[in-house]
Amino acid sequence: MLLLHLSDVDEARWAEAFTQSLAPYKVVRQGEDFDPADVDYIFVWKPRPEAFEGLSNLKAVLSLGAGVDALLKHPRLPDVPVVRFIDKDLSQRMSDYVVAHVTMHHRQFTRFQADQKARRWSQFYPPAANETTVGIMGLGVLGQDAITRLRPLGFDLRGWSRTPKVIDGVAGFAGAAQFDAFLSGTDILVNLLPLTPETQGILNAETFAKLRRGGLASGPVIVNAARGGHQREADIAAALADGTLGAASLDVFEVEPLPADSPLWGLENCFITPHIAAISNEKTGVHYFTRIIQDHLAGRELINVVDRARGY
Ligand code: NAP
Ligand code: GLV
């Protein structure tokens, strides 16, 4: 039996689609009448504290999200494999966000928007894409997809990961020892890291001060589409105000929804979206997890299992 336990998304629609695609295998939703001991798999998003109660025969936890930081912190997460979502459609949506914000900042959108507001005709020519370096933090599924979409646009690309990576046309940096060198040549810093104890708060004043100055006229830029826990919002607000950063695009926040009194809302060089960079698509999601369940029931190994010790 598959149990759905989803918050903040339309659980009924996912349940209907799973019921069709897994039939005659039984699919149930939280709150329905079933014996928890019959549940083999639980499909979760933002599970409540009691989500896993009584699931004594659970084989795996299936995560609707690509990021599993919150799930791994669940105090009663059972000791079974956690499978996360990896999907072309999700990668495409994330790369759409990354490309939109990188190109917007490269073309100095903040400056021309201010000029327009002031009715000021000020001819300023942004650098060419190949004179602008985009540094991607996190060279996993999403980081590598963003690279394949930024590369044809001509940007100079560099990437930072935990272990070294060789990627065509990308200057690679790895580990804490190479972080400063990575930052020192970066004009637009894109964060696609998982949130772990090592990456918590990585977007902070010290990091911003190490970014390249002089590449983009208004200062270096950050784009965070990963997790709010990666950023220190007080540092971002200060850096945007004093020119350490020229602009920021933030899709995620320390507290979501972003509180109405956050100073970030009022900054003209801060571009806020409400955690919508990429959402798991029901159609491809049901297809992906149906295959995982059916393969596993047929005796094959689970794929895309999270390394709990590593935290992603
Ligand atoms: P992934 O495939 O697991 O890739 C993670 C990358 O980060 C890997 O390259 C890894 O290095 C690197 N990394 C991890 N810890 C590091 C450290 N301490 N120092 C340097 N590099 C480190 O993850 P993904 O699928 O690309 O997803 C990334 C994150 O995006 C998710 O965790 C989630 O939080 C976020 N996300 C956000 C949204 C949204 O709507 N805003 C949607 C989907 C996902 P190695 O290659 O060496 O392992
Ligand atoms: C969304 O934030 C995800 O992790 O998929």
Side-chain angles (χ1 to χ4, degrees):
M1 181 187 294
L2 168 68
L3 166 63
L4 272 70
H5 186 109
L6 309 176
S7 309
D8 291 353
V9 294
D10 191 343
E11 188 185 82
R13 279 187 34 192
W14 281 86
E16 203 179 306
F18 268 123
T19 302
Q20 279 182 21
S21 75
L22 281 167
Y25 189 73
K26 195 156 168 56
V27 177
V28 293
R29 292 177 59 192
Q30 50 182 323
E32 287 179 355
D33 188 21
F34 61 90
D35 182 352
D38 291 339
V39 173
D40 307 309
Y41 306 96
I42 181 168
F43 180 57
V44 295
W45 183 240
K46 301 185 183 170
R48 282 195 283 276
E50 74 286 2
F52 305 104
E53 241 163 62
L55 307 185
S56 50
N57 291 307
L58 197 65
K59 295 187 172 79
V61 175
L62 312 176
S63 167
L64 174 137
V68 290
D69 46 288
L71 181 57
L72 295 187
K73 282 185 203 130
H74 193 290
R76 286 179 243 163
L77 183 66
D79 188 17
V80 296
V82 173
V83 176
R84 73 185 190 103
F85 193 34
I86 294 185
D87 178 48
K88 264 193 191 155
D89 176 87
L90 186 74
S91 300
Q92 168 77 63
R93 288 167 200 271
M94 178 58 85
S95 293
D96 291 346
Y97 171 89
V98 171
V99 168
H101 287 262
V102 164
T103 52
M104 175 175 101
H105 294 302
H106 160 237
R107 294 299 301 190
Q108 299 284 275
F109 183 83
T110 313
R111 175 195 177 112
F112 290 115
Q113 193 188 37
D115 285 351
Q116 181 171 344
K117 260 194 185 159
R119 299 174 177 258
R120 185 168 53 230
W121 183 267
S122 166
Q123 283 186 313
F124 165 81
Y125 295 91
N130 61 10
E131 295 167 324
T132 302
T133 301
V134 181
I136 314 272
M137 297 202 292
L139 297 175
V141 175
L142 299 180
Q144 293 202 31
D145 193 78
I147 283 167
T148 64
R149 299 187 199 267
L150 289 167
R151 193 191 284 119
L153 302 179
F155 289 106
D156 180 54
L157 295 172
R158 54 177 50 203
W160 184 66
S161 48
R162 201 174 48 83
T163 55
K165 296 270 169 306
V166 179
I167 302 173
D168 189 32
V170 179
F173 298 82
Q178 294 183 355
F179 189 50
D180 289 3
F182 163 74
L183 294 173
S184 68
T186 294
D187 299 312
I188 302 177
L189 182 67
V190 176
N191 178 32
L192 289 170
L193 288 167
L195 183 61
T196 67
E198 288 75 40
T199 65
Q200 176 95 26
I202 195 165
L203 295 172
N204 59 41
E206 211 185 311
T207 298
F208 306 151
K210 290 175 182 162
L211 291 165
R212 176 156 83 174
R213 301 207 66 79
L216 291 176
S218 52
V221 170
I222 61 163
V223 175
N224 185 12
R227 284 290 183 264
H230 286 126
Q231 67 198 23
R232 297 272 177 261
E233 283 164 21
D235 290 7
I236 295 176
L240 288 171
D242 72 13
T244 304
L245 290 177
S249 286
L250 308 175
D251 183 58
V252 287
F253 299 91
E254 288 175 23
V255 175
E256 296 181 6
L258 180 63
D261 63 356
S262 166
L264 296 174
W265 287 111
L267 297 173
E268 292 197 344
N269 50 356
C270 189
F271 295 84
I272 291 172
T273 48
H275 202 145
I276 50 76
I279 182 73
S280 301
N281 179 311
E282 183 191 299
K283 208 166 142 205
T284 55
V286 168
H287 179 77
Y288 171 85
F289 284 111
T290 294
R291 186 169 60 89
I292 283 178
I293 291 169
Q294 287 177 340
D295 282 356
H296 194 234
L297 289 171
R300 286 187 279 278
E301 296 246 311
L302 291 168
I303 57 164
N304 301 327
V305 174
V306 172
D307 180 336
R308 288 216 205 181
R310 214 176 50 168
Y312 67 98

